[in-house]
Amino acid sequence: WMLYIHGGGWVTGDLESHDRICRRLCHEGELVVVSVDYRLAPEAPFPAAVNDIEQAWTVLSNTISRWGGHPDRGSVGGDSAGGNLAAVLCQRLRDGLCTGVTPTMQLLIYPVIDFRRLDPSHRTFAEGFLLTSASIDYYKALYAAPDDNDPAVSPIRHDDLSQLPPAIVVTAGFDPLRDEGERYVHALRQAGTPAGWVQGEGLVHGF
C-alpha cells in the first residue's frame, strides 16, 4: 500500500487534482493507494502539513488491512511539496518522532529537498518552465517555515541520511528543483540508503 501526498506548494492541490496519478499508481502498481487531504497554507502554515501526514501514517499503519493492504508493506510517495513531505516523514519515522510501520520505500517525484535554493537549476529555469522563481517565493512565504535549514522543510539538511527507506527519486530536466533532487540521490547513496534515480530529461515540473 502507499500513502500518496499531493503537491501544490503546500498551498494548492487536493484529492481531485491528483486523483489521476493515484488511480494510475493503484492500477499499474497493484497497490492500495490512500491520498491525504492535508491542511494547506496560509490558513495552516508549517508544520501543520507535516503533522497531518504523520497522523495519517500512524492511523493507516493500524487500519490499512481494512482496505486490503498488508500492514507491514506500506510505502509513501508524493510529488513536489508532497515529495518533500514524504521525505520528511521517512526521516521522522526513522528518528522515532512519529509512530507507525517503517515504509518499505519512498517515491519522491520532483521533490522540494532544500529550502535554501542554492542550486544552479533555480537560476537556469527561473522563468518560462512552468514552475517559476516567483511562484516558489510565493509558496515558500505562505508556508512560513522559520528556518530553511530545518530538516522538516529541507530533508537534505538532516545530519544523518542513513537507514532510510529505499528511495526512487524522479527529476525533470527543465525544473528549478532538478539539481536538489539529484543531490539528494547522491547524498542518500553516500549515506548507504539505496536510491534509484529516474530522469525526465526533456520534461518540466509537473509532468
Side-chain angles (χ1 to χ4, degrees):
W1 59 277
M2 174 177 284
L3 172 66
Y4 192 83
I5 311 167
H6 70 76
W10 307 274
V11 175
T12 66
D14 54 29
L15 301 183
E16 287 73 27
S17 67
H18 286 64
D19 182 68
R20 181 178 179 181
I21 188 173
C22 288
R23 287 177 181 273
R24 187 169 181 179
L25 284 167
C26 180
H27 176 68
E28 297 187 14
E30 299 182 352
L31 294 166
V32 174
V33 177
V34 180
S35 184
V36 183
D37 200 19
Y38 58 91
R39 289 174 292 169
L40 299 175
E43 292 81 5
F46 174 86
V50 175
N51 294 337
D52 287 357
I53 297 305
E54 290 180 355
Q55 183 177 3
W57 183 263
T58 299
V59 170
L60 286 171
S61 293
N62 296 320
T63 62
I64 194 63
S65 58
R66 298 179 189 174
W67 295 281
H70 192 292
D72 296 326
R73 296 184 63 188
S75 59
V76 60
D79 62 282
S80 196
N84 170 274
L85 292 168
V88 168
L89 174 67
C90 289
Q91 292 184 359
R92 292 176 68 81
L93 282 166
R94 191 274 318 270
D95 294 343
L97 298 176
C98 62
T99 59
V101 299
T102 299
T104 57
M105 61 87 68
Q106 51 183 319
L107 172 64
L108 312 178
I109 304 173
Y110 34 78
V112 179
I113 291 298
D114 192 342
F115 254 46
R116 298 173 301 166
R117 298 166 63 190
L118 303 177
D119 296 286
S121 59
H122 275 282
R123 297 183 293 275
T124 303
F125 307 114
E127 296 181 3
F129 295 91
L130 188 70
L131 180 63
T132 65
S133 179
S135 62
I136 295 173
D137 288 340
Y138 174 77
Y139 293 137
K140 184 178 175 181
L142 293 182
Y143 194 44
D147 181 4
D148 288 353
N149 288 291
D150 185 347
V153 292
S154 295
I156 201 168
R157 298 296 291 163
H158 199 295
D159 58 9
D160 183 7
L161 299 179
S162 67
Q163 299 182 347
L164 291 169
I168 298 175
V169 181
V170 180
T171 58
F174 295 93
D175 182 0
L177 306 181
R178 180 194 67 190
D179 293 353
E180 63 195 72
E182 179 180 348
R183 279 198 298 119
Y184 199 50
V185 171
H186 295 309
L188 290 171
R189 290 173 175 174
Q190 187 172 11
T193 295
W197 180 21
V198 180
Q199 304 175 68
E201 294 184 358
L203 300 173
V204 298
H205 189 87
F207 73 83

